[in-house]
Amino acid sequence: MSVELYPVPGSESEVDELVESFLESTVSEEGLIPNKQFLILLFGEEASEAVETVTTVARDQDPTVEQALEIGKLRVEALDERRLNTFTTSLLYNMLETDPDADLQATIQSDRITDEDERKIDYYLPRVVDTVTELVETQEDAIEASLHSMFPIEVQTDRASDMNDRLEKDIVTDQTIIDYLLLASGATDATEDVRSLVKFLRENDIDDSGYISGGSDNISGYKRVFSLSYDLPTDGFRDEFRTAQQLYEEGATGELFNVLNRVDPEIDIREIYSHEAPIERLLTSQFAGNDRKIAERLLRTINGTRAIQNHREHIDSEYTETRDSLRETIEDTQKEITRLQSHNDTFTSEKIEVSSAEIDQFENVIERVDQINSQIIRYLFGVEREQRTSVFTTIETRIGQYHTQLQDRRSEIDMLINELDQLNETKDGHLNTIDRIYEEIQDTSVTIDVPPVEQVKTDLDSRWDDRLQELKSDLPVIDLDKDDDEIDATIDEWEQLINEAKQDLVSLAQPIDKLETFNQQIQQIEQKRERTRESLETVIGLMEDTA
């Protein structure tokens, strides 16, 4: 660790000004950088009395200087031994008088130094060096203890290592791992409610359903976050999750929260993954290798939870908006499912299989999240972040896609059902045609022997309905929960069966065409009779006039 030593004569009336210059130019810029420490060394007759003054000056500086002082990276010490003070003061003024810009080593080795002064230097300077060395070593120990007290996590354990290995293997990305840690941190204050929620998600295979999967459409996946949280066989949190909880509880100290609020007051809640607190590198410098990576992710999680707590109203507002939008999408999808199910009224048995159960369960998810008294859980489920959508947004996007798929399928099925309805309308048209033909025949003077009209209509109606019922019975079930290829194949089969039935029904209607032809012939006979009748009436009229 490098040391920035700043010796200041404590007897100077401008000591505060001298110290402020060092604090503003050096400590303010580098006070929280790892492997650096700063020692203000006061010397002279009034050195001890000036310690409190200089310390107060440091505390009145910006948060970086103030925090460096709190941690111990900045220390204010005085040379207490009178003879060392006298020697140091004398040496300083001697250097200033001789050559203020000269290096200390060059000055004490120059010919200007008398033998007597040289003997004093040989005696006192090593003692000054020893004193400073001891102060620096004490300061180093204090810094280490202070950092551990502020961020007292135990990551050098097999459990922490196993957790990290599992998360990096299965979850992979830093952002999603931090989401996992956020879920664990939310579970520290609402253990049973979070346990109930993730158990519900896993018991109902929601984590495997695709509704919380990412990888496309610019939405984030949460499958691994939940599957690695809860273990169904043991009915409890997984070891990795409990380790994450324990690490969060260890690290999220009140002292750390106070420090972060002081040195990092402004943090965008959407950027917690990439936001590096000014003190992050310093706090994580006490770890190495994978341990440091664990510490970095955990610290960003803790800083994120701090930001979440500091933005409660905003998070509540955005959560409510995201939740209500999801509810609306669920309701729209349920209505679409109801429309599809209503087509089954056309049949004596269910021909359109589509269930709202999978969608309905997300209402239960919403209710469970609503009941959890945790801003962290609300943030995770309802607030959009950089490169990560909320859980609810991911679910809404997937349900919305399902809704669109159902709409497209309903358009196809509507056309098929419409064809079935048209077949009924065609039958009604044929029956009306029969009525018209019989009425037209009855209006003629031609006497013919034809079957009763009701018998003809009943026969057609019965045979037509039988063929339609046979068609509806033969139609395979369209299971909208199947793969697209299977659904497409079933719809193709419907089209084929409907076309075959149409051909059969055309055959059933052929006698009507013959009856229509017969009717036309009768009408022609009737017209001939009418013309003959008119001619006879004309001849009779002429005969009467002649008589």
Side-chain angles (χ1 to χ4, degrees), residues 185-305:
S185 63
T188 58
D189 293 329
T191 303
E192 285 307 311
D193 287 338
V194 172
R195 190 189 70 83
S196 176
L197 171 64
V198 293
K199 179 180 180 180
F200 180 82
L201 294 174
R202 298 225 55 214
E203 278 186 333
N204 292 276
D205 294 324
I206 294 176
D207 55 324
D208 282 328
S209 65
Y211 286 101
I212 59 173
S213 296
S216 61
D217 305 294
N218 295 319
I219 58 173
S220 306
Y222 290 88
K223 174 181 177 179
R224 295 292 186 181
V225 172
F226 294 118
S227 63
L228 288 178
S229 300
Y230 193 83
D231 184 57
L232 287 174
T234 61
D235 193 22
F237 289 132
R238 290 175 60 102
D239 288 342
E240 298 89 350
F241 195 77
R242 291 200 302 270
T243 299
Q245 283 183 288
Q246 179 182 345
L247 288 173
Y248 179 82
E249 290 178 320
E250 289 175 355
T253 63
E255 181 183 358
L256 178 58
F257 272 85
N258 291 335
V259 170
L260 290 171
N261 280 328
R262 185 183 303 127
V263 302
D264 192 27
E266 295 298 328
I267 172 175
D268 190 332
I269 59 172
R270 304 186 190 281
E271 299 179 355
I272 66 171
Y273 307 119
S274 61
H275 181 82
E276 180 180 324
I279 202 170
E280 178 180 308
R281 295 187 187 182
L282 176 60
L283 286 173
T284 57
S285 65
Q286 55 185 316
F287 309 101
N290 286 334
D291 294 342
R292 178 174 294 181
K293 191 63 179 176
I294 298 172
E296 288 174 353
R297 290 170 178 152
L298 186 61
L299 184 58
R300 294 200 180 186
T301 301
I302 293 172
N303 202 19
T305 61

Side-chain angles (χ1 to χ4, degrees), residues 353-512:
E353 282 191 2
V354 55
S355 173
S356 66
E358 196 170 43
I359 301 302
D360 295 344
Q361 65 188 353
F362 288 107
E363 293 180 323
N364 195 317
V365 172
I366 292 174
E367 291 176 3
R368 288 173 181 273
V369 176
D370 270 350
Q371 292 171 1
I372 298 176
N373 185 25
S374 169
Q375 291 297 115
I376 301 172
I377 299 301
R378 288 186 165 225
Y379 173 83
L380 194 61
F381 275 78
V383 177
E384 308 304 300
R385 288 94 67 192
E386 54 169 355
Q387 303 178 22
R388 295 285 292 169
T389 54
S390 68
V391 179
F392 281 167
T393 297
T394 294
I395 294 173
E396 180 181 359
T397 302
R398 294 306 185 202
I399 291 179
Q401 292 170 343
Y402 179 55
H403 182 207
T404 301
Q405 292 170 3
L406 291 178
Q407 285 180 315
D408 293 341
R409 291 302 184 185
R410 182 167 62 85
S411 296
E412 295 179 276
I413 294 172
D414 280 351
M415 293 177 63
L416 296 172
I417 298 296
N418 186 53
E419 289 194 56
L420 294 177
D421 292 339
Q422 285 178 347
L423 292 177
N424 277 321
E425 293 175 4
T426 301
K427 182 192 72 172
D428 292 339
H430 288 325
L431 294 175
N432 291 333
T433 298
I434 293 172
D435 282 334
R436 177 182 59 77
I437 291 173
Y438 268 79
E439 289 174 0
E440 290 176 355
I441 291 175
Q442 289 174 358
D443 289 341
T444 67
S445 60
V446 179
T447 301
I448 58 173
D449 185 16
V450 293
V453 63
E454 290 304 323
Q455 178 183 334
V456 175
K457 289 172 60 178
T458 300
D459 182 60
L460 175 65
D461 186 60
S462 174
R463 295 174 67 188
W464 194 283
D465 284 350
D466 287 346
R467 185 63 184 92
L468 276 183
Q469 289 304 319
E470 180 185 355
L471 168 62
K472 292 179 180 180
S473 177
D474 290 343
L475 290 174
V477 174
I478 299 177
D479 188 347
L480 294 176
D481 293 327
K482 297 289 187 180
D483 294 335
D484 283 343
D485 290 344
E486 294 184 58
I487 298 174
D488 289 337
T490 305
I491 288 177
D492 289 343
E493 188 173 353
W494 271 49
E495 291 176 344
Q496 180 181 346
L497 291 172
I498 290 174
N499 288 331
E500 291 174 357
K502 283 181 178 178
Q503 294 174 2
D504 292 343
L505 294 174
V506 167
S507 298
L508 287 179
Q510 285 178 351
I512 300 176

